[in-house]
Amino acid sequence: MQDPYRILGLPAASPDEMLIARYQELRARFSEERFLEGEAGNEGARRLMELEDAWQFIKQDMHKRSMGASQNADGSFNADGGLVIVEALIKSGRFTEAQSELDSITIRDAEWHYYQAIVYYKREWLTESRNHLNIAISLDPNNTKYQEAAARLNNVMGNPNINPQSVGGQGNFNNMHGGRPAEAAGNALCRCCQAWACMECLCCFASGCCR
């Protein structure tokens, strides 16, 4: 196989976010091209396979760099560096891949559980999300980020006017307020704003405030 970074068309020193964005761009392009007729379709399929092979190598490289950057003074490693890819995947809405990356991390500290809570939240598994936030808090009791996220999530989950399964998702608003009259629907909308605030708290890294 040729240089994996050459397949992406980027130097090996490129930021992780740039590598991930280019991979996603090429993957979308080749996935469409493989359905073209004749040789064009065959070429698209070949390039997609080549891209996926290259990406496996690059992902390992990214993990190594991340873990190296997170090495402690005593020579041990923390898990934060391995969460760089998870963060980028969550930002781009690739929650299944983010979960796979989380599963591959063996050191599961408070920040790992925080990111696991975010993935569960985005997949609308609110109870599991709360459980992992509670673990994060138990591992790092003084972390206000975890405490505030858990408090907002508990507030939303304990509100009878909200269907927890539609919080943070793309569900029909009518299902959220159960077809109640306009006044009740308006109240539900206010509760929906609380749910959005919870999601903002859980996902505040999107604006860089959690890192």
Side-chain angles (χ1 to χ4, degrees):
M1 182 181 71
Q2 62 174 296
D3 180 2
Y5 292 95
R6 194 164 191 171
I7 292 174
L8 257 65
L10 293 172
S14 300
D16 290 348
E17 292 79 5
M18 184 180 295
L19 293 169
I20 293 170
R22 179 61 61 85
Y23 162 70
Q24 292 171 345
E25 175 191 345
L26 293 176
R27 186 174 187 272
R29 182 197 305 174
F30 299 150
S31 294
E32 290 184 5
E33 289 180 355
R34 63 179 171 161
F35 293 112
L36 297 175
E37 294 183 2
E39 186 56 33
N42 293 334
E43 178 67 9
R46 184 191 67 77
R47 297 190 70 180
L48 180 61
M49 291 180 60
E50 185 179 62
L51 174 68
E52 294 295 355
D53 289 342
W55 183 241
Q56 292 304 312
F57 178 89
I58 292 172
K59 280 205 306 181
Q60 294 176 9
D61 239 12
M62 291 167 66
H63 276 303
K64 290 176 183 177
R65 289 200 301 269
S66 297
M67 293 304 288
S70 62
Q71 189 170 13
N72 300 320
D74 61 0
S76 62
F77 293 91
N78 58 60
D80 186 60
L83 296 170
V84 173
I85 296 176
V86 174
E87 178 178 325
L89 289 169
I90 293 174
K91 284 181 181 178
S92 61
R94 302 168 73 95
F95 307 127
T96 299
E97 293 177 49
Q99 183 63 63
S100 296
E101 294 296 333
L102 281 168
D103 291 341
S104 72
I105 297 174
T106 57
I107 302 175
R108 301 185 174 182
D109 59 5
E111 194 74 353
W112 183 93
H113 286 284
Y114 176 70
Y115 275 86
Q116 180 64 85
I118 293 173
V119 171
Y120 279 156
Y121 183 89
K122 298 296 267 181
R123 300 178 83 168
E124 301 179 10
W125 299 345
L126 302 191
T127 299
E128 291 83 354
S129 177
R130 180 169 60 182
N131 289 342
H132 280 276
L133 279 175
N134 289 337
I135 294 173
I137 292 171
S138 70
L139 293 172
D140 188 0
N142 297 321
N143 191 304
T144 56
K145 176 179 69 175
Y146 306 156
Q147 294 170 357
E148 290 173 1
R152 292 182 185 228
L153 182 57
N154 286 334
N155 181 56
V156 170
M157 291 181 69
N159 194 315
N161 293 317
I162 292 179
N163 175 3
Q165 295 306 315
S166 34
V167 174
Q170 301 296 323
N172 189 319
F173 178 71
N174 290 328
N175 292 334
M176 184 182 295
H177 63 72
R180 289 188 292 273
E183 181 180 357
N187 290 336
L189 181 58
C190 292
R191 303 302 189 276
C192 184
C193 292
Q194 294 179 6
W196 178 254
C198 173
M199 184 171 68
E200 285 296 295
C201 182
L202 283 172
C203 304
C204 61
F205 63 80
S207 59
C209 62
C210 289
R211 298 203 51 90

